[in-house]
Amino acid sequence: MLSEAMAAALNKQVQLEAASSQAYLAMASWADIQPGLQGVTDFFYQQSDEERIHMLKLLKYVNERGGFGVVPPLEQPILTFLSLKRAFEEFLKHELIVTASINDLVHLALAEKDYATHNFLQWYVTEQMEEERLARTLNEKLELIGEDKSGLYLFDRDIMAYRGTGKG
Ligand code: OFO
């Protein structure tokens, strides 16, 4: 059985994962109307879907452990970006916030000696390591490319290949 504090903290994470899904959906929709960014568009649509799965997993876990998984309200995310680089900077910024939040949850699970939740959270710890690595890699690529059009063309063409394996 989850403590009240743990259930509340997990529900906060449900909200953050939902916000991630919304944020990446907005990035996908923005990319979709830019010329020639089909790869980036697909990437963010997929990221958005994955974040929804992360949210669901948490929600179900809260219910399984005797809490109540609360469906959060939707806030409108940032809708437009000055450049592709700015969108990917937001992506990294967001992932760093999520990592910090997962770390806080792990800390709470240990403090409460809730080893089941600690075990459950390990999937998120690994996931965040991968997401952060991906976001950093993509930002580094864009830094190198700068305004070079052929570089951006290749970035868009190859973006799925940077994802690597083991995506959740
Ligand atoms: Fe939910 O994995 Fe990133 O944010």
Side-chain angles (χ1 to χ4, degrees):
M1 178 98 184
L2 293 173
S3 72
E4 261 181 46
M6 183 54 83
L10 289 168
N11 273 322
K12 237 177 98 197
Q13 189 66 30
V14 166
Q15 186 162 17
L16 192 51
E17 301 291 343
S20 305
S21 181
Q22 286 288 96
Y24 302 155
L25 184 59
M27 287 175 189
S29 184
W30 172 79
D32 213 357
I33 60 159
Q34 311 304 310
L37 289 183
Q38 201 49 55
V40 171
T41 299
D42 292 347
F43 172 81
F44 279 123
Y45 277 131
Q46 193 170 323
Q47 285 296 123
S48 174
D49 286 348
E50 284 178 8
E51 297 300 347
R52 185 169 187 282
I53 291 168
H54 300 172
M55 176 197 68
L56 268 180
K57 215 171 145 91
L58 278 155
L59 187 101
K60 289 178 178 174
Y61 177 77
V62 173
N63 287 336
E64 242 173 61
R65 298 282 321 283
F68 174 45
V70 178
V71 176
L74 292 180
E75 260 188 53
Q76 192 165 53
I78 299 173
L79 298 178
T80 58
F81 304 89
L82 289 175
S83 66
L84 190 60
K85 181 83 175 74
R86 291 301 293 273
F88 276 89
E89 280 166 5
E90 276 302 316
F91 174 46
L92 175 59
K93 204 167 103 187
H94 198 87
E95 287 304 324
L96 292 174
I97 291 169
V98 174
T99 300
S101 176
I102 293 290
N103 288 344
D104 287 348
L105 279 172
V106 171
H107 183 80
L108 180 63
L110 282 178
E112 288 198 357
K113 298 190 176 157
D114 181 348
Y115 298 116
T117 300
H118 182 265
N119 186 45
F120 168 78
L121 289 170
Q122 294 314 300
W123 184 88
Y124 287 86
V125 171
T126 307
E127 177 67 16
Q128 279 315 117
M129 267 169 53
E130 288 172 6
E131 299 258 291
E132 256 191 55
R133 180 180 45 81
L134 175 65
R136 279 187 211 286
T137 301
L138 294 173
N139 271 279
E140 283 164 14
K141 299 261 177 216
L142 285 171
E143 192 65 49
L144 277 177
I145 290 166
E147 295 300 310
D148 179 55
K149 292 252 189 297
S150 52
L152 286 171
Y153 170 82
L154 292 175
F155 178 88
D156 186 73
R157 193 195 64 181
D158 295 342
I159 186 164
M160 290 300 184
Y162 301 133
R163 294 169 61 87
T165 54
K167 287 295 305 151

